[in-house]
Amino acid sequence: MEALVVRLRAAAESARLRMLALCADGELTVTEITDILSMTQPAVSRHLKILAEAGLLIRFREGAWVFYRLADEGDAGALARWLVAACDSEGDARRRDIARLQEIRARRAEEADAYFQANAEQWDVIRSLHVDDALVEARLRAMAAAAPVQDYLDLGVGAGRILALLAPQAERAVGLDISPAMLKVARDRIAAAGLAHCSLRQGDLYAAPFEDGRFDLITAHLVLHFLDNPARAIGQIARLLKPGAMALIADFAPHGLDWLRDEHAHRRLGFSNDEVGRWVAEAGLTLAETVRLPGDPLTVCIWRISKPERDDP
Ligand SMILES: C[S@@+](CC[C@H](N)C(=O)[O-])C[C@H]1O[C@@H](n2cnc3c(N)ncnc32)[C@H](O)[C@@H]1O
């Protein structure tokens, strides 16, 4: 009872309800929330502190950035979701907030796209700065070989390297990317490799243009750290996998290289096993294995994720 009163008190303010509603749609930094609400940073920080102390928002620091997201577990998570659902999304303030959030996202997407456009040709060079590619790719190939693959999807295909690597193990393969510049490079690579059973699609992985349950294998290699809602991306993977099928997500373990944000458009500085495990479980999937490939200074993790068979409990 006492905890509920504390949480209700924390939420009982229109600015704080707006903050909860904003954070329900992805992880946001204090600066972004300040920008959206047109309030001063100290005022925003004070409200966020109250919401986080009441357990309605989760606060986490990564390098120089502090993120907030809606609580997703337990009674506080259930109450937070209920409060957000009860907010009037048609009201003037909410409509303005949503429009501002979309502007900020569009600006961020433009910045990321400009980065990818500028780096499309040299992408493989940049990538090899992180960790030994050959090691990661050998592990991906071995893990993907565990079962026959009819339909394979590579999310955030970039220059097409992982698609070209694993497509020979599949009957059909498709790569999806939001950036036309990256797709252009991928197209050249796929054609040069003579992979006639591969295709490329332009689109947003949050709304992947494929029907439910189509794929036996999905990969997302060094994509998650660009996203503002990795949990939602994992939800899409759950939707797109066939029952019993597998996804391989490769990304960095938590690190402190803040400069990757400014120079390489990274949003998140790696992911912990617990964090990925939680998102996977929320999406109804199973985290079957984590492979860690330590590098200097970045460690790559490959998370093998499986979708239960239809008749699994
Ligand atoms: C670092 S590159 C990795 C490319 C490739 N997976 C590889 O490892 O070679 C990340 C890719 O994710 C793509 N991307 C970022 N956000 C995306 C989104 N919302 N939907 C689809 N692709 C996205 C970018 O355009 C970029 O090509």
Side-chain angles (χ1 to χ4, degrees):
M1 201 73 144
E2 194 51 38
L4 180 60
V5 171
V6 168
R7 287 178 196 137
L8 287 172
R9 272 209 193 105
E13 219 279 338
S14 63
R16 294 204 277 272
L17 281 173
R18 287 163 67 193
M19 289 175 186
L20 288 177
L22 281 171
C23 291
D25 198 32
E27 298 157 350
L28 291 171
T29 63
V30 183
T31 313
E32 288 165 338
I33 297 170
T34 305
D35 230 14
I36 293 167
L37 297 179
S38 301
M39 294 170 67
T40 64
Q41 179 132 356
V44 168
S45 297
R46 187 177 58 81
H47 287 307
L48 289 171
K49 185 165 182 271
I50 292 169
L51 290 167
E53 279 173 1
L56 295 171
L57 285 182
I58 306 287
R59 174 189 195 276
F60 61 102
R61 174 180 282 282
E62 253 190 18
W65 288 11
V66 174
F67 290 90
Y68 287 86
R69 67 160 178 265
L70 199 70
D72 40 19
E73 283 180 289
D75 292 344
L79 178 64
R81 281 193 299 277
W82 185 88
L83 288 165
V84 170
C87 283
D88 176 11
S89 59
E90 293 305 311
D92 284 350
R94 272 294 287 147
R95 276 221 302 272
R96 265 198 315 274
D97 292 350
I98 292 167
R100 268 306 282 147
L101 177 61
Q102 279 164 352
E103 270 169 38
I104 284 176
R105 288 215 165 119
R107 195 175 66 212
R108 205 192 298 137
E110 266 166 33
E111 283 165 10
D113 196 45
Y115 166 75
F116 288 124
Q117 300 244 14
N119 291 285
E121 296 287 348
Q122 309 94 306
W123 187 255
D124 288 343
V125 179
I126 292 168
R127 214 175 55 154
S128 66
L129 297 175
H130 300 321
V131 76
D132 186 347
D133 279 338
L135 214 65
V136 178
E137 290 173 8
R139 285 309 278 266
L140 281 173
R141 210 171 15 210
M143 290 164 93
V149 178
Q150 283 180 321
D151 285 287
Y152 163 46
L153 168 66
D154 187 36
L155 288 173
V157 63
R161 188 175 176 127
I162 301 299
L163 183 69
L165 177 82
L166 298 183
Q169 295 176 215
E171 283 178 30
R172 291 172 295 270
V174 54
L176 180 79
D177 205 284
I178 204 160
S179 160
M182 293 303 269
L183 287 169
K184 195 160 155 282
V185 181
R187 221 159 251 130
D188 291 345
R189 182 192 291 267
I190 297 302
L195 294 166
H197 67 306
C198 279
S199 57
L200 292 158
R201 289 281 295 269
Q202 202 240 326
D204 188 342
L205 62 78
Y206 289 131
F210 308 108
E211 69 272 26
D212 296 2
R214 166 160 158 195
F215 295 99
D216 310 277
L217 172 66
I218 298 179
T219 52
H221 180 267
L222 303 188
V223 176
L224 229 57
H225 60 253
F226 292 105
L227 303 180
D228 61 0
N229 200 337
R232 202 161 119 220
I234 291 177
Q236 277 286 307
I237 290 176
R239 178 181 77 72
L240 294 165
L241 280 176
K242 281 182 192 160
M246 165 173 77
L248 298 172
I249 297 181
D251 219 297
F252 301 122
H255 62 83
L257 306 187
D258 247 316
W259 58 269
L260 287 174
R261 289 189 166 129
D262 296 331
E263 293 176 31
H264 292 273
H266 289 203
R267 180 163 176 87
R268 294 289 314 272
L269 303 181
F271 302 95
S272 71
N273 221 28
D274 284 352
E275 191 170 31
V276 174
R278 188 160 40 77
W279 291 332
V280 163
E282 274 164 17
L285 302 172
T286 307
L287 178 54
E289 182 185 9
T290 304
V291 172
R292 286 176 60 84
L293 299 167
D296 186 14
L298 296 174
T299 289
V300 167
C301 292
I302 305 175
W303 291 284
R304 179 163 65 83
I305 291 162
S306 56
K307 180 161 173 168
E309 294 287 353
R310 229 182 282 276
D311 49 8
D312 280 358

